[in-house]
Amino acid sequence: MGLQDNADTAVCPKSPTDVPTRLDRLPVMLPHIVWISLLTANLTLEYYDNALFAYVIPAIIEDTTFDLGQIGLIGSAFFGGMIVGALVGGRLSDRFGRRWVLVWSTALYSAGALTTALAPNFELMLVARVITGIGVQAATSALLVYIAEMFPTKSRGRFVSIVTLAFVIIAPVVALLAFAVIPNAGPNAWRHLFMWGGVGLLIAPLVRLLMPESVRWYVIRGNIGKATEIVERLEARALRRGPLSEPQPVPTGPKELTLRRLLANKGVLRTTAVLSAGYFGSTLGLYLFQNWALYALVDGLKYPEVEAYEIQLIWNVVYVITPVIGLLLMDRVERKTLVFAASLVTAIPLLVLGVSTNSWAVVVSGGLAGIVTGLVVTVYYAYIPEVMPTNARGLGSGIIMSMGKFGGAASGVLGAAVYGGWGVAGLMIIAAVSYIVFSIVVLVFGPRTMGRSLEGVVAEELRAAEQPESPRTPPSRCPSRRNTSS
């Protein structure tokens, strides 16, 4: 069932471990559309809660006895919860399954959102935000791993682009809701908005009923029967539309590895370090731009507050272009190359925004920065789970994503220091440099993943780490056979 001793042998289609290759060759079908719809709804709800808090801070201060320091702690608590959620949720998904974590983390962040809405004091709201952060990040990590493992190889990048429609949908919605409800619905209106986060309690059972567990997770846990059953059902549906291509043999790794040995493997460690650095840098740059942009418009560029909100709403609306660009590029350009190219392009509007005083230049450069920073996030969302071994994919992805949250946390302190010393220009220069420098690390040292089987990517990492001197020979060819559903 596991990785074989010979690194250069291929998995032949009749062996149990060919189940993932049979999954990879399938065309896009109705089940994929159902799954991605549920995952997009899930991510939309997660982002709703995250985005809402920034808009309701003034209302919370007005309607409660919280001071600005307490609000800051509440905001940091959410990030702290996300770091825990990435690590714990990732480990649990490796042990209990991707779907299991997705279901329970969705219920958890919904419970956290409802508790936030009803919290009568600072202490309970602080706990509620930690719980919400844990659930949000655990769910995000699990759904990205699910896409990597269950969607066809040639289109998994495009499906990640589709799921990021969540950001496009909810960003302007939250902005409009905040403007329409908070000033007009009286005291505690912000609580009503948080209660919408409880919708996840309806999404969780749908995930449980309509989405199967990851086939690759079943294989790595030794449950070949369940994995084969799911793939055979999908193959039977696909065969109604015509014959299927032969499963492509992929190289295996040098040997079967436990989780502990995987995490100590030099290839896995190097890849984790490379992606952690890249994602940290991009997230630091993203939050230096996003979290400080509104304040920079009002304080640094002296826009009236209403006009500053209007500009930010424009930036949110034009973000709709990002998933379209992702759909065009994600499965045509190698991931690490796209990370570097998009990061390089991102630096240009950030620098223009930093030195602009003309209104049109500010609006256009900020909008372009929002579009391209979003593309970088989309690429990382696809890339991170692709580079991790299956039995460590949840935890490995969680480690990398938690490093991104440290970048978000660092953006608060660093942003304040940089803005205080160098103003808007200094802030945007640091954001641009962060994007470029850390993306170079990914370009040089990151593995290739686009259009490749997950097993092939990982086998190359393990082989490079454990057998650097071994000559690479082509995988053995398996006998051809007629297309069947089994």
Side-chain angles (χ1 to χ4, degrees), residues 278-438:
Y279 194 52
F280 171 87
S282 69
T283 307
L284 175 62
L286 175 67
Y287 282 109
L288 285 174
F289 163 59
Q290 281 192 350
N291 287 1
W292 288 93
L294 184 62
Y295 184 75
L297 289 174
V298 175
D299 181 78
L301 300 177
K302 306 303 180 185
Y303 280 91
E305 189 171 334
V306 172
E307 190 173 347
Y309 276 116
E310 289 175 350
I311 290 172
Q312 192 162 55
L313 181 59
I314 292 171
W315 292 350
N316 286 334
V317 171
V318 299
Y319 185 79
V320 69
I321 299 172
T322 299
V324 177
I325 297 174
L327 285 169
L328 294 174
L329 297 179
M330 284 290 286
D331 291 312
R332 296 181 179 177
V333 181
E334 181 57 55
R335 308 280 193 248
K336 64 178 184 176
T337 305
L338 190 53
V339 164
F340 174 72
S343 297
L344 203 60
V345 173
T346 295
I348 298 172
L350 287 176
L351 294 173
V352 172
L353 179 62
V355 300
S356 294
T357 55
N358 178 273
S359 291
W360 277 109
V362 169
V363 172
V364 172
S365 60
L368 290 174
I371 291 169
V372 193
T373 55
L375 179 61
V376 176
V377 172
T378 302
V379 182
Y380 273 116
Y381 273 11
Y383 194 27
I384 290 170
E386 290 176 335
V387 300
M388 290 289 108
T390 301
N391 54 334
R393 185 163 289 125
L395 179 58
S397 299
I399 291 170
I400 295 169
M401 290 187 173
S402 68
M403 290 303 297
K405 303 313 168 188
F406 278 112
S411 69
V413 177
L414 180 62
V418 172
Y419 185 82
W422 298 322
V424 181
L427 199 66
M428 296 306 158
I429 288 171
I430 296 298
V433 169
S434 180
Y435 268 106
I436 294 173
V437 170
F438 287 97

Side-chain angles (χ1 to χ4, degrees), residues 62-125:
E62 182 179 344
D63 293 337
T64 66
T65 58
F66 303 166
D67 58 32
L68 194 58
Q70 289 175 313
I71 291 294
L73 284 174
I74 290 170
S76 297
F78 183 80
F79 275 107
M82 293 181 84
I83 292 170
V84 173
L87 297 173
V88 175
R91 182 67 186 101
L92 291 176
S93 76
D94 289 333
R95 182 164 185 178
F96 297 108
R98 319 311 188 194
R99 183 181 62 177
W100 186 91
V101 168
L102 192 54
V103 169
W104 287 107
S105 58
T106 300
L108 185 66
Y109 76 67
S110 294
L114 291 174
T115 306
T116 300
L118 301 173
N121 53 48
F122 166 74
E123 291 78 13
L124 187 56
M125 183 173 285

Side-chain angles (χ1 to χ4, degrees), residues 2-17:
L3 301 174
Q4 299 175 18
D5 289 336
N6 185 351
D8 297 318
T9 59
V11 177
C12 292
K14 289 190 177 181
S15 70
T17 49

Side-chain angles (χ1 to χ4, degrees), residues 206-259:
L206 292 177
V207 171
R208 177 63 182 82
L209 291 171
L210 299 178
M211 293 175 59
E213 182 53 81
S214 165
V215 165
R216 284 180 163 91
W217 183 81
Y218 274 137
V219 168
I220 208 69
R221 302 295 291 187
N223 197 338
I224 304 301
K226 282 281 189 181
T228 303
E229 181 183 336
I230 294 169
V231 172
E232 286 179 346
R233 286 202 305 266
L234 293 170
E235 285 176 328
R237 177 183 287 269
L239 285 168
R240 297 173 198 159
R241 298 163 51 175
L244 294 172
S245 61
E246 287 289 334
Q248 295 298 311
V250 296
T252 65
K255 60 177 75 72
E256 185 170 2
L257 298 175
T258 64
L259 177 61

